[in-house]
């Protein structure tokens, strides 16, 4: 079964707005939570990742918020740009094992 | 540094045939993982190889197999193809097998089964 649930399935945001994508997991053994960005015709590329010992990690316009007790984590894209239009995947993994991906969110940033 | 390369990029097969996909990891990377991407199921892990040994395996039937060569290049094979095997097959490499090392994905091989 899907070990990582991702929402929303699609998202439309105006340029300059904040894009928020949420993920939830059940397995408390997960200890690595990356986000990937995928453009059409390309493979996914790592955007940002977090380990459960911190509640937030920021890299440029991208921030991961992590809530261990709720078993949820989210990606915030500040000042969203049309070039951010892509599919975003959250994932979770136990050290040494494979990535379990969410089903993806298709983000469209309108000019 | 060249990225992960996958060949062929596109492939059309018929049911019952078999197919072999190839992946060349980034130079110096010893771990190669394979994923299947479909609109319905998303990205699903197939298997991972590290130093020519299969380390992890996903929940796929035995028709899906793989191997890794001494130069870290990897192949995956799907026998007795079914319509449901139509998907984008992605290969990812990383320096070592530890989860926290970034995985770099290739562009994928688009397999269509008719």
């Amino acid at each position: 079964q899907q070990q990582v649930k991702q929402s929303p399935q699609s998202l439309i945001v105006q340029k300059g707005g904040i894009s928020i994508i949420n993920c939830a997991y059940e397995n408390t053994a997960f200890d690595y939570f990356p986000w990937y960005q995928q453009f059409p015709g390309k493979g996914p590329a790592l955007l940002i990742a977090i380990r459960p010992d911190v509640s937030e990690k920021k890299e440029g316009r991208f921030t991961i918020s992590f809530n261990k007790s709720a078993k949820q984590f989210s990606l915030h894209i500040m000042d969203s740009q049309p070039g951010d239009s892509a599919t975003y995947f959250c994932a979770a993994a136990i050290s040494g094992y494979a990535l379990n991906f969410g089903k993806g969110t298709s983000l469209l940033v309108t000019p | 540094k060249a990225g992960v390369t996958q060949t062929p990029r596109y492939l059309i097969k018929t049911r019952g045939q078999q197919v072999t996909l190839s992946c060349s990891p980034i130079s110096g990377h010893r771990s190669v993982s394979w994923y299947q991407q479909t609109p319905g199921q998303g990205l699903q892990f197939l298997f991972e190889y590290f130093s020519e040994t299969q380390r992890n395996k996903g929940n796929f039937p035995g028709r899906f197999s793989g191997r890794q060569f001494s130069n870290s290049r990897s192949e995956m094979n799907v026998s007795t193809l079914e319509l449901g095997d139509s998907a984008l097959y992605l290969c990812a490499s990383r320096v070592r097998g530890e989860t926290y090392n970034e995985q770099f994905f290739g562009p994928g091989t688009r397999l269509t089964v008719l």
Side-chain angles (χ1 to χ4, degrees), chain A residues 56-101:
Chain A
E56 187 175 280
K57 182 174 180 180
K58 185 175 180 179
E59 288 184 4
R61 296 184 294 109
F62 301 92
T63 300
I64 298 180
S65 297
F66 184 80
N67 186 329
K68 190 173 181 178
S69 60
K71 291 185 285 186
Q72 295 176 346
F73 58 110
S74 60
L75 175 70
H76 290 65
I77 306 174
M78 312 299 288
D79 187 27
S80 298
Q81 299 297 312
D84 296 331
S85 297
T87 301
Y88 292 81
F89 295 93
C90 62
I94 302 170
S95 174
Y97 291 88
L99 292 169
N100 297 275
F101 284 91

Side-chain angles (χ1 to χ4, degrees), chain B residues 83-104:
Chain B
L83 294 179
D85 297 333
S86 294
L88 181 67
Y89 289 89
L90 292 159
C91 165
S93 76
R94 54 187 170 189
V95 174
R96 295 182 298 275
E98 290 90 345
T99 303
Y100 312 133
N101 297 150
E102 178 179 350
Q103 283 200 343
F104 293 84

Side-chain angles (χ1 to χ4, degrees), chain B residues 1 8-9 16 18 20-21 34 39 41 47 50 52 60 70 74 77 79 82 85 91 97 100 104-105 114:
Chain B
K1 192 183 254 191
R9 292 293 311 277
Q18 76 163 20
T20 299
L21 312 182
W34 288 89
Q41 297 300 316
F47 27 67
F50 179 74
E52 301 178 66
F60 278 81
S70 58
S74 177
N77 183 276
S79 62
E82 301 177 359
D85 297 333
C91 165
Y100 312 133
F104 293 84
F105 282 83
L114 303 176

